[in-house]
């Protein structure tokens, strides 16, 4: 009986231990289950983080590739900029040299213009009488108030024709234009009183130009003709009679052969001048050769050309 009780007790103890062990194992399984769930959550979180990191890595790799491409492009642009800078520096040097040359040319032209203006102001190239009249008029001498100016200062040849018109005028370039005969008389009396030389005056009220006969009116249309000299000059209003008086019967020709042909066609009745200044005189005399330099003292030469050059330089 005692042995049976011992066995029952032993069996009850074993059952209790089994229950305790089962409970312990249940707790362990619960702990393991929770740990597995935690680890699973961590795994999922790590996987998501890894995915984000991979995405970020891919983005960074794209940025790096773009940056490298930008660096390459910037390097190329820098190289191109360097070449462009070198080209611009070369162009700037050329422009600077050109500017220097232009400034030198401007200075030379300004000096030439100043010289010509001084010559104009001092009436260089005029004879003693015309110069005295022009200087006296500038100073306000009463006897010279009616003088409008010299033929050279009033007539303006068209471009390229100054030499021809100078040749056509000859000494008449220094003639002085006045309104009335009385103005000429007063000026001549003043010249005589001052013993200042002689001058020729052209009173507008008395000038009577000789017209070209109708039969010769077509000479300006012949081969080599430029035109009648009176038609190649411009002058202030009212002074057309001066051009007609001095140049109305003068033909301008392209060159000497053309001038000789025109003179023959006109039977040597008119003066014919060329663009280079040769002259076929009425009657057949021919003047030509190299022209005197400025300051040579030959009267009437370069007065119109000087005025033309002053206008061009200004």
């Amino acid at each position: 009986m005692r042995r049976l009780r011992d066995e029952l007790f032993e069996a009850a103890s074993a059952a209790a231990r089994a229950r305790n062990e089962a409970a312990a194992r249940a707790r362990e399984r619960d702990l393991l289950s929770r740990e597995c769930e935690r680890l699973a959550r961590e795994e999922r979180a790590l996987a998501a983080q890894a995915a984000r990191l991979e995405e970020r890595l891919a983005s960074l790799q794209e940025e790096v590739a773009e940056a490298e491409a930008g660096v390459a492009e910037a390097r190329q642009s820098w190289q191109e900029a360097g070449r462009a800078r070198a080209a611009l520096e070369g162009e700037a040097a050329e422009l600077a040299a050109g500017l220097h040359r232009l400034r030198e040319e401007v200075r030379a032209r300004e000096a030439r213009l100043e010289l010509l203006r001084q010559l104009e102001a001092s009436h260089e190239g005029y004879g003693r009488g015309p110069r005295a009249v022009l200087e006296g008029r500038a100073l306000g001498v009463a006897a010279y108030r009616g003088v409008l100016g010299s033929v050279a200062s009033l007539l303006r040849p068209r471009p390229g024709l100054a030499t021809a018109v100078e040749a056509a005028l000859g000494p008449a370039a220094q003639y002085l234009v006045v309104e009335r005969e009385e103005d000429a008389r007063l000026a001549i009396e003043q010249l005589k009183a001052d013993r200042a030389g002689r001058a020729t005056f052209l009173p507008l009220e008395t000038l009577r130009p000789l017209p070209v006969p109708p039969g010769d009116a077509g000479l300006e249309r012949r081969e080599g003709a430029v035109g009648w000299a009176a038609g190649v000059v411009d002058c202030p209003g009212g002074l057309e009679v001066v051009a007609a008086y001095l140049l109305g019967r003068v033909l301008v020709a392209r060159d000497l052969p053309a001038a000789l042909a025109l003179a023959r066609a006109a039977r040597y009745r008119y003066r014919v001048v060329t663009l280079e200044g040769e002259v076929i005189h009425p009657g057949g005399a021919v003047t030509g050769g190299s022209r005197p330099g400025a300051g040579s003292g030959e009267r009437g030469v370069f007065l119109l050309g000087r005025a033309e050059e002053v206008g061009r330089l200004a």
Side-chain angles (χ1 to χ4, degrees):
M1 190 66 175
R2 182 177 183 146
R3 184 172 61 84
L4 182 59
R5 284 196 301 270
D6 291 336
E7 288 177 1
L8 288 173
F9 179 77
E10 184 67 28
S13 297
R17 288 194 301 272
R19 284 193 299 272
N20 291 335
E21 185 176 351
R25 289 183 181 276
R27 286 193 297 273
E28 287 179 0
R29 282 195 302 271
D30 186 53
L31 289 174
L32 287 173
S33 177
R34 288 197 295 271
E35 182 67 15
C36 286
E37 289 177 0
R38 185 183 66 78
L39 291 175
R41 287 194 301 271
E42 288 184 0
E43 181 181 6
R44 288 192 297 270
L46 289 173
Q49 185 178 2
R52 289 194 298 273
L53 290 175
E54 287 177 354
E55 184 179 352
R56 178 58 178 162
L57 176 61
S59 176
L60 290 174
Q61 288 173 340
E62 289 180 1
E63 291 179 7
V64 168
E66 291 177 1
E68 289 177 346
V71 168
E73 184 178 353
R75 184 179 293 110
Q76 182 178 358
S77 298
W78 182 79
Q79 292 172 348
E80 291 176 355
R83 289 192 292 269
R85 178 182 177 182
L88 288 174
E89 287 176 347
E91 185 178 354
E94 291 179 3
L95 289 174
L99 179 60
H100 177 73
R101 289 193 298 270
L102 286 174
R103 283 174 173 166
E104 291 295 321
E105 183 177 351
V106 167
R107 279 193 286 269
R109 292 190 179 192
E110 286 176 341
R112 174 67 176 168
L113 179 59
E114 179 61 24
L115 173 62
L116 291 173
R117 283 176 170 166
Q118 290 176 2
L119 293 175
E120 287 280 275
S122 64
H123 308 292
E124 184 67 28
Y126 285 90
R128 182 169 171 240
R131 180 185 293 183
V133 173
L134 294 172
E135 290 178 349
R137 185 187 66 157
L139 293 172
V141 175
Y144 299 142
R145 288 177 183 171
V147 177
L148 301 178
S150 69
V151 169
S153 68
L154 296 173
L155 299 187
R156 284 288 178 266
R158 292 172 189 171
L161 293 167
T163 299
V165 175
E166 279 183 343
L169 288 172
Q174 298 190 51
Y175 289 180
L176 302 169
V177 180
V178 294
E179 289 279 0
R180 304 166 298 140
E181 280 186 328
E182 178 65 13
D183 297 321
R185 184 188 66 78
L186 290 173
I188 289 172
E189 287 181 356
Q190 188 67 48
L191 284 173
K192 290 165 67 175
D194 296 339
R195 296 188 178 185
R198 298 166 63 86
T200 299
F201 296 86
L202 302 175
L204 294 178
E205 68 178 4
T206 63
L207 291 182
R208 298 293 182 268
L210 293 175
V212 175
D216 294 333
L219 287 170
E220 76 276 9
R221 294 191 294 272
R222 284 181 171 266
E223 177 67 25
V226 175
W228 293 100
V232 299
V233 295
D234 298 318
C235 50
L239 299 185
E240 293 83 2
V241 65
V242 175
Y245 179 80
L246 296 175
L247 301 171
R249 296 170 68 90
V250 180
L251 273 168
V252 180
R254 182 181 59 236
D255 49 32
L256 187 55
L260 291 169
L262 285 170
R264 285 194 299 271
R267 295 187 295 280
Y268 299 98
R269 292 197 303 271
Y270 305 106
R271 182 179 301 173
V272 185
V273 299
T274 71
L275 296 179
E276 292 188 353
E278 292 97 358
V279 183
I280 314 298
H281 300 273
V286 182
T287 299
S290 62
R291 304 190 68 205
S296 65
E298 183 172 330
R299 296 178 181 181
V301 176
F302 296 113
L303 297 181
L304 276 82
R306 186 171 68 198
E308 181 186 45
E309 187 177 1
V310 167
R312 186 174 65 252
L313 288 173

